Each structure stands twice: as C-alpha cells, then as structure tokens.
Amino acid sequence: MGEQLCHNTCLRMLGLNGTNLGKIDDKTLDPKQEAGASLRKALCLNETLEHLALSNNSLGTEGCVLILQGLAENATLKDLDVSMNKAGPELGVVAGLALSGKASLTSLSLAGNDLGPSGGCAMASALVLNTQLTSLNLHGTSLRDRGSIAIANALEDNRVLRTCHLSSNAITEFGGLAWSDTLWGNHSLTSLILSENPLGDEVAVHIAGVLSRNQTLTRLDLASCKIADEGALSIIDALENNTSLVRLKLTNNLISEAGGMIIAGV
C-alpha cells in the first residue's frame, strides 16, 4: 500500500482506522517501524493525498513519529488523524516540528495518545508561528495544567486555529484560568472544548467575564467540569451581552435544582 501511494496520482482520501497496521504478522520486522516507514516514504513522495485517517492502529511512538517525519516533507496533506495509537511525548515534539516546516495541514488529531505536558508544550511552540492549522484535537492526551497553559498562551499569538479540543486532560483550575486570559485577546477561535476536566467554578466565572467581550466563539463545551451554580449562572448571565455563542454545553456538572430552574427560565 505504501509503495502504491508513492506513485498514485488520483487518491484524495484514505481511511485505515482500526486496521492493526502496527501488528503486521511478519516476524522479521518490527511492524510499527515497518508500517511507519512505508507511510513516511509515501508522504514524502505523494502529491495528491489530502486526507489520511490512521487512528487505533497500535503504531506506537516509533510508527507515529515516522509518519509525522514524512508529513514534514509533504505540502498537500490537509487532514491527518493518528489518534489512539499508544504513542508517547515524542509524538508531540515531532508533530510540532512538522507544523513548523513544510506541512500544510489544516486539521490534526493526536487524541488518545500520551503526549503529556512536554508533548503539549512542543505543540504549543509550533502553534505560535503556524499559519495553516485550523483544527487541533488533543482529547485525552494527558496534557495536565502545564500543557494546557502552554497551548492557551500560544493561541494569544496564533490567529488561525478555529477549533481546539482539550477534553479529558486532567486540567484543573490553575490550567483552566489561562483560557479565560486567552479568550480576551484571541478573535479567531470559534470552538473550545474543555469538557471532562475538573475546572471548577472559578474558571467558569472568569470565562463568563470574557463572553461579554468575545464575539467570535460559537461553541463552548464545559460538560463534566465540576461547575456549580455560581459558575453556571455567571455564564448564563454573560449571554445577555454575547451575540456569537450558539452551542453551550454544561451537562453533568454540580448545578442544583434551583440553579437548573433559573437556567431553564432564561
């Protein structure tokens, strides 16, 4: 398949999710490296493929890194999904290098890989200067506060990214407050997903303060964020002066019955 892609001039979209590429039954080769090397070569030479989906393939760090290295030499691929491949922090570093180079990606998903704070910081450094990427999915990548803050700070300078998905990253109040600061000055982000992080009321209150001024955010997901009445009602009150937000998710939080009745009456 990799060899064919090197010479193919017709295919625009290829989906190989869940096909166990990293478990090729060849005892003489490391399947992760073999699959990664093959796709790396294809990306270096192919000039027509625009969408490549490789999630849930057990490629590991070595396989994913090889693919991202190929991406650094590719100027046509727009959408890459290497989520849930059991890769580690090095994936974030190499992805950052690719985004800083020749790559023309507009959508990248690294979800479900263990990037950790260091991988997140590497991605953040690339986002400061990147002028192509519009969608980034880092769901469940163990960013924690340090990684979250780094990405939030990067978006104070980035004017291209439209969608940022950071759910399930163990981001606490400390890491969440950075996003309220970012939203004050960022006027390009339209979708921010912070669900399933223990942000708490303080973050919700600060984000509410931003919503009265930010008129570009259209989707905000704060589901399962341990937000109680104070935070939820602050956000609802802020909507009186906001004309852009069309999708708000506050499900599975700590909102009381009384708080829920007030929200329902808005």
Side-chain angles (χ1 to χ4, degrees), residues 29-262:
L29 300 168
D30 182 325
K32 296 179 177 63
Q33 291 187 356
E34 182 68 8
S38 179
L39 289 167
R40 174 188 179 182
K41 180 180 179 182
L43 287 174
C44 287
L45 298 176
N46 184 284
E47 297 180 349
T48 55
L49 193 66
E50 296 178 355
H51 306 276
L52 179 58
L54 299 169
S55 71
N56 195 23
N57 272 297
S58 300
L59 291 170
T61 300
E62 54 268 62
C64 288
V65 163
L66 286 167
I67 292 168
L68 267 296
Q69 288 174 343
L71 177 66
E73 300 299 323
N74 182 291
T76 55
L77 195 71
K78 302 299 182 185
D79 180 7
L80 177 63
D81 182 356
V82 289
S83 59
M84 296 184 290
N85 271 295
K86 302 178 181 178
E90 190 179 352
L91 175 60
V93 175
V94 178
L97 291 174
L99 292 175
S100 300
K102 185 179 179 181
S104 58
L105 276 186
T106 57
S107 178
L108 175 62
S109 177
L110 304 179
N113 290 298
D114 191 19
L115 302 186
S118 59
C121 289
M123 290 292 300
S125 297
L127 288 174
V128 172
L129 300 176
N130 183 275
T131 59
Q132 302 282 342
L133 198 69
T134 59
S135 178
L136 178 62
N137 187 345
L138 296 177
H139 161 80
T141 51
S142 304
L143 296 179
R144 300 189 180 277
D145 287 338
R146 185 161 69 92
S148 172
I149 291 170
I151 291 174
N153 289 342
L155 294 189
E156 291 184 8
D157 297 309
N158 181 291
R159 293 294 180 267
V160 181
L161 198 71
R162 299 288 182 267
T163 299
C164 188
H165 192 152
L166 297 178
S167 62
S168 300
N169 271 294
I171 303 169
T172 69
E173 177 183 311
F174 183 62
L177 287 173
W179 284 98
S180 61
D181 293 336
T182 294
L183 291 174
W184 276 109
N186 183 294
H187 301 294
S188 57
L189 197 67
T190 60
S191 180
L192 178 60
I193 303 171
L194 292 172
S195 56
E196 299 177 7
N197 288 299
L199 302 178
D201 270 345
E202 191 69 18
V203 174
V205 169
H206 277 74
I207 289 178
V210 177
L211 289 179
S212 60
R213 174 176 175 177
N214 184 297
Q215 298 297 325
T216 53
L217 199 67
T218 60
R219 179 187 181 189
L220 177 62
D221 189 341
L222 295 174
S224 303
C225 286
K226 295 189 176 181
I227 295 171
D229 288 358
E230 181 185 4
L233 294 176
S234 294
I235 289 176
I236 296 302
D237 288 343
L239 296 183
E240 292 183 8
N241 298 312
N242 181 287
T243 59
S244 63
L245 198 68
V246 295
R247 296 179 64 185
L248 172 64
K249 194 169 184 179
L250 292 171
T251 56
N252 198 30
N253 275 298
L254 305 177
I255 303 170
S256 69
E257 181 178 350
M261 293 295 290
I262 294 173

